[in-house]
Amino acid sequence: GFSVLMLSSTLLDRNKLRLESLPHLQSLSNLTGERTNAGILHRNKVLYLAGVEKPSLPTIYSRFGKTAPAHCCSLGKAMLAHLPVSDVKTFLSVEPLLAQTPNSITQVDKLLEDLEATRQRGYATDIREHMVNSCCIAAPIFDGHDRPVGAIGISGKEIEPIMVHVDTLLRAAELISHGLHQA
C-alpha cells in the first residue's frame, strides 16, 4: 500500500541525477514557459524521475514513476542514440515497436536512422510520436565514461517554440552531466 511511497521518496531524494536536474528543469521551464522532464532508461522504457510544470500552472515537481516507450519519446531517443548500436538492437529486440500515435516510428531500420540523426545533432525530437498533442526535444545526460545515464527535455504543443531553446537545453544537460561527475 502506501508504505511504498516512503521507500520511493527516499530513493528519489537520494537520486543524484534527479537532484542535479531539478534546478535546471525549473530554470528551463521558467525560460521556455513549457513543461520540462528528466528520465532514465529502466526495464526497456523511459522512467520519469522528475518534471516541472509550465510556469502558468502551479509549480509541481511531478511525473516521477510514469513510464513511456523509449522508441517514441524524445527522452528515450536521446539516450538510445548514444548507446552502442549492439546495445540498441538488443534493447529493441525485447518488445515490438508499438505505435502510440500515427507519427510513431515502428520500424527498426527507420528508428536506427532517427537515432543516428539524433546522435549527430546532439538532441532528440518527438513530433507527436508519443502523444498526439505534444512535441518534445531532449538532450542526454552522460556519466564520467560518456554513457547516457538519463535525459532532460522540454515539452510543448508545437515544435517550433521549443526548438529555439535547443542550445539552452544542451547546455543544461552538459551542466547536469558535469554535476554528476563532481558528486
Side-chain angles (χ1 to χ4, degrees):
F2 289 108
S3 296
V4 75
L5 289 175
M6 292 181 288
L7 292 172
S8 63
S9 68
T10 300
L11 176 66
L12 289 172
D13 288 344
R14 292 182 182 159
N15 183 279
K16 290 177 184 173
L17 185 132
R18 183 176 191 271
L19 295 174
E20 285 291 330
S21 297
L22 280 172
H24 296 282
L25 294 176
Q26 185 69 59
S27 293
L28 283 169
S29 185
N30 289 339
L31 174 70
T32 64
E34 300 292 352
R35 177 175 181 76
T36 57
N37 299 296
I40 60 170
L41 290 175
H42 180 71
R43 294 188 177 170
N44 243 44
K45 295 192 182 305
V46 169
L47 174 65
Y48 289 90
L49 294 182
V52 175
E53 283 299 343
K54 57 173 110 183
S56 61
L57 297 175
T59 301
I60 303 170
Y61 295 101
S62 61
R63 275 278 165 108
F64 50 86
K66 293 188 182 206
T67 61
H71 73 280
C72 64
C73 73
S74 62
L75 292 175
K77 293 194 299 182
M79 291 179 276
L80 289 173
H82 294 277
L83 290 174
V85 175
S86 59
D87 290 1
V88 173
K89 287 183 178 180
T90 299
F91 187 92
L92 297 176
S93 70
V94 174
E95 296 177 13
L97 302 178
L98 300 177
Q100 304 295 303
T101 74
N103 292 345
S104 299
I105 299 172
T106 58
Q107 298 171 339
V108 172
D109 60 334
K110 296 232 187 271
L111 181 61
L112 292 173
E113 288 175 17
D114 186 69
L115 295 178
E116 177 59 24
T118 294
R119 190 177 63 72
Q120 292 295 324
R121 70 178 169 254
Y123 65 92
T125 61
D126 160 5
I127 305 174
R128 295 179 177 76
E129 294 174 53
H130 178 229
M131 298 185 330
V132 291
N133 293 321
S134 180
C135 296
C136 310
I137 58 173
I141 298 167
F142 296 100
D143 66 11
H145 304 287
D146 288 329
R147 292 215 17 120
V149 294
I152 59 168
I154 305 168
S155 302
K157 289 189 183 242
E158 300 295 330
I159 194 69
E160 293 82 11
I162 58 178
M163 286 299 293
V164 300
H165 301 288
V166 166
D167 289 339
T168 306
L169 175 70
L170 291 169
R171 179 71 179 140
E174 183 181 318
L175 290 170
I176 295 166
S177 297
H178 182 73
L180 290 177
H181 301 174
Q182 304 303 312

